[in-house]
Amino acid sequence: MKFDGKVIKYGDNVDTDVIIPARYLNTIDKKELASHCMEDLDTTFVSRVQEGDIMVAGFNFGCGSSREHAPIAIKESGIALVIAKSFARILYRNSINIGLPIIECPEAVDAISEGDKLSVDMDKGVIKNETTGTEYKTEPFPPFIQSIIANGGLIESIKAGKIK
Amino acid sequence: MAMTMTQKILAAHAGLDSVSAGQLILANVDLVLGNDVTSPVAIREYNKLGQDEVFNKTKIAMVMDHFAPNKDIKAATQCKMCRDFCDDKEIVNFFDVGSMGVEHAILPEKGLVVSGNVVIGADSHTCTYGALGAFSTGVGSTDMACGMATGKAWFKVPSAIKFVLKGKLNKGVYGKDVILHIIGMIGVDGALYKSMEFTGEGVHTLSVSERLCMANMAIEAGAKNGIFEVDDKTLEFIKNAGGKDPVVYTADPDAEYDEVYEIDLSTIKQTVAFPHLPENTHTIDEIDDIKIDQVVIGSCTNGRLEDLIVAAEILKGRKVNKRVRTIVIPATQKIYLEAMEMGLLKIFIDAGAIVSTPTCGPCLGGHMGILAEGERAVATTNRNFVGRMGHPKSEVYLASPAVAAASAVTGKISSPDELA
């Protein structure tokens, strides 16, 4: 998978309560969830995010609640990929399970600024910052997780008989 | 190969002789849990599988606790979706208004989790059951859907941090203070992807209720699970709850740990986590006057009978400060009834507090006590993120039921020792 997009950057410990506040969890409608994405941290996000943008964040991205509504809201808002220094574990597995691409790469995050243009090749594990000309290597996912992603998420993996 | 307690439980459930940290496994689960917020997404995903029957009608629990009793039409619609699904699939452990309680309080109370189980729940505080020597962890709705269909979940086997507890807590200090102290020490990602294993002679001095409180907040240090070694108190609790066939796992003496911390319980002080992260901890003696507007005593962290007894001892014969809305929420119907029979509810109401039906309610800013801009609450809950209990510019301070009750009386963050 390859991605080209503009960066929207946040700091450490972005929790699921600011990604999608609980007051909006009375719906499972993806578009409605996306319309409140990041609202308690950044009220400008929804109006400025564009299809294909890349979210970049610090350590422990998505800490807190297990709400899958958080990665759903991010994905539906148009974000194509999230790069963070580290991910909280439930958001990490939720993202894989719903097919929101994520990459852990602390070095790259430090060298990326808001508004930078990135091109990312997930298969080769390369993040290129087109704005600064720097390039970073990332660790590929283990084969088991790659197969979930390749099948289009956990539900599709089960349907394909990959998990019995 | 030497294994931690968690690794042994996972190996047994994956049908393997041994597992090691970092290994990806597919494990059988003993219980799949969801609530009224996460289950609707899981049901939507489950329905994509085209599978009529769930893997086991007795091994799924759905609890209507977050926005129930229904706070608005949309919440009512979500609960209805869960109710219809459980009816259709003949799910035995469906807990609706009248039988429900806060999920992580009701499951142990009903004996639905025992030592040695693997439990996944579409709720981050599913890690609570580690107090009973089970491996339990929070997952998302898609995991819940696949768990309901297959009875399995994928895991990356975690490494572990060992906490060796020694000594005994001083009077007025509780399990909540210990776990807040630990989160303050290692940070909100201090145990990221890892197990927190609690062991040592100090464990035996803690009640099961305190252990449930501590395991509950393992997620606030980023942990995959928190787990306590099993002792007589654990087994007695499970027996009294009607739990069947606990299996006791112990860590190998030569198991590898990423870190080992020794904690002398007698050195722990009353601790409060300031906004907006559970790691922002201060001991009570370091806190200046911080005026508050609301106190919440309840939740999956501290809504058990023992917690209500502690709060009632402090509020008995006293009045809460006129500026402080004090909301007491027994975590289950059974706790509510026991509190009533013990006269605790009268103490709360005489003191000027209100007593609510069981619900997660204000803990996650759902209903039953939302904060306005600029307001501050002391809560016995588990999270104090931005906007957690209401307005993004409101503040939540996390504390034990003792500190919460004392603060309700004085109108500022206080130790019970400050009361005349």
Side-chain angles (χ1 to χ4, degrees):
Chain A
M1 282 189 283
K2 290 183 181 170
F3 303 92
D4 291 288
K6 175 175 61 61
V7 169
I8 296 181
K9 190 173 179 184
Y10 298 108
D12 293 338
N13 299 314
V14 172
D15 62 75
T16 51
D17 276 80
V18 296
I19 296 173
I20 182 73
R23 58 186 178 275
Y24 303 122
L25 298 185
N26 55 3
T27 181
I28 60 172
D29 183 80
K30 293 179 182 181
K31 292 215 156 26
E32 196 176 339
L33 291 169
S35 74
H36 298 294
C37 190
M38 309 306 290
E39 191 175 287
D40 282 1
L41 179 66
D42 174 8
T43 49
T44 70
F45 174 79
V46 170
S47 56
R48 67 196 175 99
V49 65
Q50 286 173 355
E51 196 70 33
D53 279 357
I54 296 173
M55 191 180 280
V56 175
F59 289 109
N60 206 23
F61 182 78
C63 61
S65 148
S66 70
R67 60 190 72 158
E68 205 161 287
H69 313 65
I72 289 171
I74 291 171
K75 192 179 176 193
E76 195 66 23
S77 74
I79 292 288
L81 168 72
V82 184
I83 304 173
K85 289 186 179 179
S86 65
F87 290 88
R89 59 161 288 275
I90 306 180
L91 185 117
Y92 179 92
R93 67 185 292 138
N94 284 349
S95 301
I96 290 163
N97 287 346
I98 69 161
L100 170 67
I102 57 172
I103 295 178
E104 221 168 64
C105 189
E107 308 78 37
V109 170
D110 279 332
I112 294 170
S113 306
E114 173 81 27
D116 283 358
K117 289 229 163 63
L118 305 183
S119 63
V120 178
D121 186 327
M122 289 267 290
D123 303 322
K124 290 185 180 155
V126 175
I127 300 170
K128 186 166 187 204
N129 189 334
E130 301 287 355
T131 308
T132 63
T134 48
E135 206 173 276
Y136 297 88
K137 284 288 280 181
T138 68
E139 284 286 316
F141 281 119
F144 179 84
I145 291 176
Q146 280 182 21
S147 106
I148 293 176
I149 296 169
N151 279 296
L154 197 58
I155 293 286
E156 295 305 321
S157 299
I158 289 182
K159 283 171 81 172
K162 302 289 181 194
I163 295 173
K164 288 175 189 164
Chain B
M1 189 177 163
M3 289 188 281
T4 66
M5 192 173 167
T6 292
Q7 289 167 356
K8 280 193 179 176
I9 297 172
L10 287 175
H13 283 75
L16 300 168
D17 291 334
S18 75
V19 296
S20 53
Q23 187 177 347
L24 282 153
I25 57 164
L26 199 60
N28 292 312
V29 301
D30 298 295
L31 191 70
V32 179
L33 166 71
N35 58 50
D36 54 309
V37 162
T38 57
S39 299
V41 178
I43 292 166
R44 180 170 70 192
E45 296 305 309
Y46 180 92
N47 288 338
K48 290 179 187 168
L49 288 168
Q51 180 179 323
D52 280 347
E53 300 259 326
V54 295
F55 89 105
N56 186 320
K57 292 167 185 175
T58 64
K59 292 189 172 183
I60 294 166
M62 229 180 257
V63 187
M64 305 297 97
D65 60 359
H66 275 56
F67 296 158
N70 307 330
K71 75 177 181 110
D72 54 29
I73 294 169
K74 284 179 168 179
T77 308
Q78 297 207 135
C79 284
K80 185 172 185 299
M81 186 177 174
C82 297
R83 194 175 299 118
D84 291 346
F85 180 84
C86 288
D87 268 352
D88 182 48
K89 305 296 178 202
E90 299 171 333
I91 290 177
V92 176
N93 294 303
F94 175 63
F95 298 104
D96 205 343
V97 172
S99 65
M100 68 84 164
V102 176
E103 52 195 325
H104 309 306
I106 200 165
L107 263 51
E109 181 185 289
K110 297 276 183 193
L112 290 172
V113 183
V114 300
S115 313
N117 278 172
V118 167
V119 181
I120 59 166
D123 187 279
S124 59
H125 293 106
T126 302
C127 52
T128 307
Y129 320 124
L132 304 178
F135 170 81
S136 61
T137 192
V139 296
S141 296
T142 297
D143 280 309
M144 181 192 173
C146 294
M148 289 196 295
T150 64
K152 292 184 195 311
W154 66 270
F155 298 109
K156 191 170 170 183
V157 175
S159 62
I161 303 175
K162 180 153 80 171
F163 296 86
V164 183
L165 308 184
K166 297 190 163 177
K168 199 167 179 275
L169 291 172
N170 289 314
K171 192 173 180 299
V173 183
Y174 299 92
K176 181 65 164 283
D177 300 298
V178 181
I179 193 64
L180 288 175
H181 168 80
I182 289 172
I183 296 164
M185 183 173 72
I186 68 173
V188 289
D189 61 354
L192 192 60
Y193 306 128
K194 299 178 184 183
S195 299
M196 294 167 76
E197 292 202 359
F198 298 95
T199 182
E201 71 207 31
V203 165
H204 312 305
T205 69
L206 298 170
S207 67
V208 171
S209 185
E210 283 179 300
R211 297 179 206 179
L212 288 161
C213 164
M214 288 174 64
N216 174 270
M217 289 191 73
I219 178 70
E220 310 315 332
K224 181 168 218 149
N225 68 316
I227 194 162
F228 279 75
E229 65 181 34
V230 175
D231 63 7
D232 293 345
K233 281 186 186 173
T234 325
L235 296 173
E236 193 190 341
F237 177 94
I238 290 168
K239 192 179 162 201
N240 291 340
K244 293 201 173 59
D245 307 323
V247 180
V248 179
Y249 292 89
T250 49
D252 287 320
D254 54 342
E256 277 182 32
Y257 291 90
D258 292 347
E259 285 161 283
V260 178
Y261 293 97
E262 280 199 8
I263 294 174
D264 180 352
L265 295 176
S266 70
T267 63
I268 304 289
K269 296 178 182 176
Q270 290 168 348
T271 302
V272 178
F274 281 31
H276 288 286
L277 284 175
E279 70 182 19
N280 295 336
T281 55
H282 298 261
T283 54
I284 198 86
D285 50 349
E286 313 171 328
I287 300 173
D288 293 331
D289 283 4
I290 297 175
K291 286 193 173 171
I292 57 166
D293 306 281
Q294 179 164 297
V295 162
V296 174
I297 298 172
S299 82
C300 56
T301 316
N302 280 125
R304 297 182 185 81
L305 188 63
E306 236 177 78
D307 302 312
L308 302 188
I309 291 170
V310 167
E313 277 169 2
I314 290 161
L315 291 175
K316 189 171 185 179
R318 295 193 168 99
K319 292 279 180 198
V320 303
N321 187 289
K322 267 192 273 184
R323 287 184 54 255
V324 181
R325 311 179 302 266
T326 304
I327 302 165
V328 181
I329 312 176
T332 67
Q333 291 286 83
K334 181 166 182 268
I335 295 167
Y336 201 138
L337 196 57
E338 285 171 347
M340 187 179 81
E341 286 165 352
M342 290 176 73
L344 307 184
L345 305 189
K346 180 167 166 41
I347 292 171
F348 295 135
I349 292 167
D350 284 346
I354 67 151
V355 183
S356 157
T357 189
T359 180
C360 303
C363 172
L364 77 161
H367 61 151
M368 285 301 293
I370 304 303
L371 300 173
E373 180 173 355
E375 288 194 320
R376 289 194 192 109
V378 172
T380 67
T381 56
N382 42 47
R383 291 205 173 116
N384 55 357
F385 298 152
V386 169
R388 176 75 180 176
M389 199 173 275
H391 195 280
K393 287 183 179 157
S394 62
E395 295 183 345
V396 177
Y397 294 74
L398 305 174
S400 71
V403 168
S407 304
V409 174
T410 61
K412 61 189 180 67
I413 299 176
S414 304
S415 165
D417 302 339
E418 293 169 40
L419 301 175

